[in-house]
Amino acid sequence: MATLGWSRSYPGAMPYNVMNFGAVGNGVTDDSQAFIKAWNAVCGDTSNNPTLQVPQGKTFLLQPTSFQGPCKSSNLQVQIEGNLIAPEGPSSWKGKDRRSWLYFANVNGFTVNGNGVIDGQGSQWWNLCSDDATLSNLHISAPESSPNTDGLDISASQNIHILNSNIATGDDCIAINTGSSQINVTGLTCGPGHGISIGSLGKQGEAAAVEEVHVKNCTLNATQNGLRIKTWQGGSGYARKITFNDITLTDVDNPIIIDQFYCPHEQCSNETNAVKISDVSYTGIHGTSITQDAIALNCSRTVGCDNIVLEHIHIASSNSKEGTYSTCINAHGKCDDSVPSVGCLK
């Protein structure tokens, strides 16, 4: 579910309120055709900033709908003040294209804004698997200050390829969660955001299973974290066979971090169980860090991390007057040609 948190008025804009095209807005009646009619009117308007309006206080049920261009105005707006909801659950999508819900194509100079809610009603889909998918040339953005706006969340999926994409957001650019394997991320530009994350895993004692994740030829710009593996205390299972190759960093906070004490709350209980992290390699990681602690391998004190490999690492401080250093808790493996050096990996 996405909440739109900004609103703007456009002087001279021609408003096209979906209610004037037959929409009902009771959350039960299918309003798809009314939206298409309103879109066609907006798309055909030659004035400056024609605006499709979704009014406040209404909930509009939309089936999978395609909004096609090209449009005659180069400054088309969609202002969402009400709520948009998708059909509820997989059974409601029988005979429909499950690959997209609201699809905009061949539209230039297009802005979506408002204080409304876009609710894909995704909870019934979360336990379904997605396999053998390729996502390429994506451009995903949200304000840097927007909470819980992960670019891509991957769970219970196998053989996923993410290629040549740009993600700027207020949370993880990509988060890879339990049940995922053979995940390949190549040519991603990330930032702002919280970087590329494995996890969080093991919340409330859950068993994690993540393996064969490969990230290469990516760039991170001014992200709050870089390459992160994060697990809660008390979990079980594994995160293993993970590689990060040829990554460029620019002014990144926490460039390389394993955090097995992940706790976004003020206080979490100490637990002895932990997700087992092993067979993780970082090769050809270079760039600048805004924190001096450029490499932090904070593994479980009872379970530990095994076969952590760092090779050809060069992370300098963004402040030329400062150096960088590493910290470790119960991490084991090897390190070769690394700045900063990682003394615990022997």
Side-chain angles (χ1 to χ4, degrees):
M1 179 170 67
T3 301
L4 303 174
W6 63 98
S7 183
R8 191 181 304 167
S9 61
Y10 297 90
M14 176 65 72
Y16 292 89
N17 191 315
V18 296
M19 300 297 290
N20 296 332
F21 291 83
V24 177
N26 61 7
V28 178
T29 302
D30 181 3
D31 287 320
S32 305
Q33 290 304 311
F35 271 67
I36 290 174
K37 291 176 182 177
W39 171 261
N40 289 338
V42 170
C43 191
D45 193 325
T46 59
S47 65
N48 189 34
N49 297 322
T51 302
L52 188 153
Q53 293 181 336
V54 179
Q56 186 177 7
K58 298 286 186 178
T59 298
F60 301 92
L61 172 64
L62 298 180
Q63 300 294 329
T65 304
S66 176
F67 300 92
Q68 293 286 336
C71 296
K72 293 184 178 180
S73 174
S74 59
N75 293 291
L76 189 150
Q77 318 295 330
V78 174
Q79 186 154 359
I80 301 174
E81 303 297 343
N83 303 322
L84 306 182
I85 61 171
E88 185 177 4
S91 62
S92 299
W93 286 66
K94 289 182 179 179
K96 302 180 178 71
D97 187 352
R98 294 187 175 191
R99 295 174 297 177
S100 62
W101 172 34
L102 305 178
Y103 179 71
F104 294 86
N106 302 314
V107 184
N108 294 321
F110 171 54
T111 302
V112 178
N113 56 59
N115 292 293
V117 172
I118 301 174
D119 185 356
Q121 304 210 78
S123 60
Q124 295 187 39
W125 297 81
W126 294 345
N127 291 325
L128 300 180
C129 298
S130 175
D131 299 335
D132 305 315
T134 297
L135 308 174
S136 63
N137 299 301
L138 301 176
H139 294 268
I140 300 172
S141 65
E144 184 176 0
S145 60
S146 56
N148 300 318
T149 50
D150 289 347
L152 292 173
D153 271 316
I154 302 172
S155 300
S157 302
Q158 291 76 45
N159 197 27
I160 305 298
H161 299 266
I162 301 166
L163 308 173
N164 305 324
S165 295
N166 192 313
I167 300 177
T169 185
D171 210 314
D172 295 328
C173 290
I174 296 178
I176 300 169
N177 296 293
T178 192
S180 299
S181 64
Q182 297 294 341
I183 310 299
N184 300 278
V185 180
T186 304
L188 173 72
T189 298
C190 165
H194 293 185
I196 300 171
S197 293
I198 312 295
S200 61
L201 304 175
K203 185 177 181 179
Q204 296 179 338
E206 293 176 346
V210 174
E211 63 182 341
E212 297 289 358
V213 175
H214 306 291
V215 179
K216 65 180 181 180
N217 298 329
C218 295
T219 299
L220 291 89
N221 296 318
T223 53
Q224 290 187 21
N225 295 285
L227 310 171
R228 177 166 61 158
I229 301 175
K230 52 181 177 177
T231 73
W232 296 75
Q233 295 186 71
S236 62
Y238 57 83
R240 64 194 182 195
K241 299 179 182 178
I242 299 166
T243 63
F244 301 98
N245 296 330
D246 299 322
I247 309 297
T248 300
L249 313 166
T250 302
D251 297 335
V252 170
D253 198 348
N254 304 314
I256 295 176
I257 179 169
I258 294 177
D259 181 8
Q260 293 217 262
F261 304 91
Y262 179 69
C263 179
H265 314 301
E266 291 184 2
Q267 185 175 1
C268 295
S269 61
N270 291 320
E271 303 284 350
T272 56
N273 290 341
V275 176
K276 178 65 179 181
I277 297 176
S278 63
D279 306 316
V280 181
S281 69
Y282 305 85
T283 305
I285 317 297
H286 58 92
T288 55
S289 171
I290 63 171
T291 49
Q292 289 185 271
D293 189 0
I295 301 174
L297 308 178
N298 296 324
C299 300
S300 164
R301 290 183 172 88
T302 52
V303 177
C305 303
D306 291 333
N307 196 27
I308 309 300
V309 178
L310 280 79
E311 296 179 314
H312 311 304
I313 310 296
H314 193 280
I315 305 175
S317 173
S318 299
N319 184 342
S320 60
K321 297 181 180 180
E322 298 178 344
T324 55
Y325 61 85
S326 67
T327 57
C328 292
I329 299 174
N330 205 14
H332 309 279
K334 66 178 183 178
C335 177
D336 180 52
D337 184 26
S338 177
V339 177
S341 61
V342 187
C344 67
L345 299 182
K346 299 178 180 179

